[in-house]
Amino acid sequence: MSESTEEKTEQKTEKEVLTRRGFIGVGSAALAAAGILTGSAAAGQDQGNTKQDRSKSIPGPANAPLDAQNPDSMWPPSTDSKSLVQAFKYPFAFANKRTYEGGWSREVTVRELPVSKTLAGVNMRLTAGGVRELHWHTADEWAFVLYGNARITAIDADGKSFVADVKKNDLWYFPSGIPHSIQGLDPDGTEFMLVFDDGNFSESETVLLSDSMAHLPREVLAKNFGVGEQVFNNLPKQELFIFKTDVPGALDADQKAAAGALGESPADFAFRTMEMPPTKRTKGGEVRIVDSSKFKASANVAMAMVTLRPGGLRELHWHPNADEWQYYISGKGRMTVVATGNKARTMDFQAGDVGYIEKTLLHYVENTGDTDLVFLEMFKSSYYQDLSFSEWLTHTPPELVMAHLHVDKATLDAMPKDKTVIVPE
Ligand code: MN
Ligand code: MN
């Protein structure tokens, strides 16, 4: 058995103890072996064997559930560098939540995850009838529906109206300055992920209809709208942000009422992701790439929605054109990022986590669970672009590659010649 195979086996055994079997039903010996038992419990295992290597023990305080979710931080693969790499993961579970009657909102921005400079994410829930108040902002808003049904409204740059209903896996895109709203529909509203093309974005820094009205002199409002000042006596005293009202009626009635004499917008601010066949499908999984070539409104944000089957690998690659912001929808995986200056770090991900990779850094994502791993790769770019490690090595003069890696021609010939995207092919 080669040294690297041995390491792999040892790692897998640890990982199985940590992630597959969890803690319940795992004996104290196994836990001690995995380095989870602390203090006297672990010391007890050593009685009669004082020479046992205790390097992989943690006698001090530990947060066992979090350690179990992060086996590659607990005991990094030997290929990770000892030089530190800034964290590239932040769980939405840690995020500060704003709660309302009608829903809630939480965000992961550069303030929570300092490496995430180009994109920020907002996760929002609206119950049936719950409304994200009419508003706009300085950043572009890209959205992915995680659950349920919603009605979205906007006007385009010509003032023409847009009203549509969206469901799970659908997208929408509202460019900066385009005013819009979102409302949960029957039977149980919606939950969605918003991605903004600015890491500094905050959902608390938007221009709200209620705030705007509250900060304008009543006589100016009266003059502007051609009505009496007294009609504004019941304006909300505080911002609404999220509030509850009745579930709206039929879509076509809303569309007609909003369009008026001006007519509906020819622009489509929504995209039906699952009506598009996968961009690439292999034994290891599938990917749907949606950028401005497919979804015209999405001028500044590109998406790859990736599904990895158990054991599947999003192949080693990098993105020459943009940083990558990730959101994990389901399953479990791990990712190593090879940074500049001989540095590398591996981190573990599961549903609800945000990941981030800076432009040009080499990485892979591996499904380490026994269910599908589904995640979004997001880019601040009008187009999706990646370079494959395999494609690079197999399209460089072979003698040159062999001289670097000390591998033979047969090995090089066995490597995939084209971008696989997801292995196994
Ligand atoms: Mn918005
Ligand atoms: Mn990537």
Side-chain angles (χ1 to χ4, degrees):
M1 203 187 261
S2 73
E3 194 187 311
S4 65
T5 317
E6 255 170 39
E7 272 168 14
K8 213 173 157 186
T9 310
E10 186 188 315
Q11 219 176 64
K12 198 177 169 194
T13 309
E14 277 177 19
K15 189 161 282 183
E16 276 171 359
V17 171
L18 285 164
T19 63
R20 297 203 179 153
R21 293 162 63 185
F23 293 96
I24 299 155
V26 179
S28 62
L31 287 174
I36 289 166
L37 279 195
T38 58
S40 57
Q45 298 293 324
D46 290 345
Q47 282 171 7
N49 185 9
T50 50
K51 284 189 181 153
Q52 187 183 343
D53 181 8
R54 297 263 299 135
S55 307
K56 284 196 169 184
S57 58
I58 303 180
N63 184 329
L66 265 188
D67 285 339
Q69 284 176 13
N70 298 279
D72 290 294
S73 293
M74 188 72 167
W75 305 118
S78 59
T79 41
D80 275 14
S81 62
K82 291 190 169 45
S83 309
L84 302 182
V85 175
Q86 190 178 29
F88 46 84
K89 159 178 166 167
Y90 194 94
F92 262 101
F94 291 176
N96 199 172
K97 195 178 269 168
R98 303 172 64 169
T99 60
Y100 300 84
E101 191 187 354
W104 50 256
S105 166
R106 54 184 177 175
E107 64 191 29
V108 174
T109 71
V110 73
R111 292 171 291 281
E112 289 76 25
L113 182 61
V115 71
S116 65
K117 292 190 175 72
T118 67
L119 295 166
V122 173
N123 178 205
M124 198 177 287
R125 162 85 168 124
L126 298 171
T127 59
V131 178
R132 169 66 176 95
E133 173 177 5
L134 282 157
H135 70 285
W136 70 89
H137 26 72
T138 54
D140 283 17
E141 169 178 318
W142 175 97
F144 182 94
V145 181
L146 296 165
Y147 169 81
N149 302 282
R151 179 159 304 170
I152 54 178
T153 78
I155 58 167
D156 69 14
D158 297 321
K160 293 185 171 185
S161 76
F162 169 81
V163 184
D165 287 354
V166 288
K167 60 182 184 308
K168 188 179 173 178
N169 296 325
D170 286 352
L171 313 181
W172 72 74
Y173 195 92
F174 296 128
S176 64
I178 292 295
H180 54 277
S181 70
I182 309 149
Q183 184 171 19
L185 299 178
D186 282 331
D188 186 32
T190 184
E191 187 182 336
F192 48 90
M193 179 56 56
L194 303 173
V195 177
F196 295 89
D197 66 344
D198 174 6
N200 264 304
F201 181 83
S202 173
E203 192 67 359
S204 306
E205 299 290 329
T206 59
V207 183
L208 305 180
L209 174 61
S210 59
D211 281 346
S212 306
M213 296 291 276
H215 292 297
L216 290 163
R218 291 291 163 84
E219 64 274 20
V220 173
L221 286 178
K223 193 184 283 182
N224 186 74
F225 293 114
V227 294
E229 280 182 43
Q230 73 289 348
V231 304
F232 297 112
N233 286 346
N234 294 326
L235 285 181
K237 302 277 182 290
Q238 299 174 335
E239 66 166 35
L240 298 171
F241 191 77
I242 289 173
F243 67 99
K244 196 165 165 39
T245 184
D246 297 333
V247 174
L251 175 63
D252 55 355
D254 260 7
Q255 285 171 329
K256 217 175 147 193
L262 211 51
E264 290 178 28
S265 172
D268 193 352
F269 293 106
F271 186 84
R272 320 288 169 185
T273 311
M274 302 320 271
E275 286 175 15
M276 184 186 95
T279 312
K280 175 116 189 178
R281 180 182 273 152
T282 69
K283 284 197 192 75
E286 61 187 43
V287 60
R288 282 182 171 79
I289 294 171
V290 180
D291 61 16
S292 62
S293 68
K294 296 269 186 305
F295 180 17
K296 209 171 152 229
S298 183
N300 207 28
V301 177
M303 169 192 88
M305 178 187 183
V306 181
T307 299
L308 295 180
R309 310 286 172 225
L313 181 76
R314 172 73 178 90
E315 72 167 333
L316 280 158
H317 68 280
W318 67 98
H319 307 275
N321 64 329
D323 290 6
E324 173 176 340
W325 186 98
Q326 297 174 331
Y327 178 68
Y328 286 82
I329 293 173
S330 62
K332 277 197 263 190
R334 70 167 178 170
M335 172 164 74
T336 301
V337 175
V338 180
T340 58
N342 198 22
K343 292 197 277 275
R345 181 170 180 185
T346 307
M347 297 189 86
D348 304 282
F349 295 86
Q350 60 181 5
D353 289 347
V354 173
Y356 199 87
I357 308 109
E358 288 172 285
K359 183 162 81 172
T360 77
L361 298 188
L362 179 66
H363 57 284
Y364 68 84
V365 178
E366 181 184 26
N367 185 341
T368 54
D370 39 28
T371 58
D372 283 359
L373 175 66
V374 182
F375 66 98
L376 304 175
E377 302 178 2
M378 304 301 310
F379 306 89
K380 181 179 175 175
S381 173
S382 62
Y383 62 96
Y384 176 87
Q385 185 177 61
D386 65 0
L387 284 176
S388 150
F389 208 43
S390 295
E391 204 170 31
W392 176 45
L393 294 183
T394 55
H395 293 86
T396 296
E399 298 298 334
L400 182 61
V401 177
M402 285 153 63
H404 279 80
L405 300 180
H406 309 291
V407 296
D408 58 19
K409 186 72 170 42
T411 306
L412 211 50
D413 287 345
M415 292 182 184
K417 304 291 177 291
D418 301 315
K419 193 183 285 187
T420 312
V421 184
I422 294 168
V423 292
E425 187 138 31

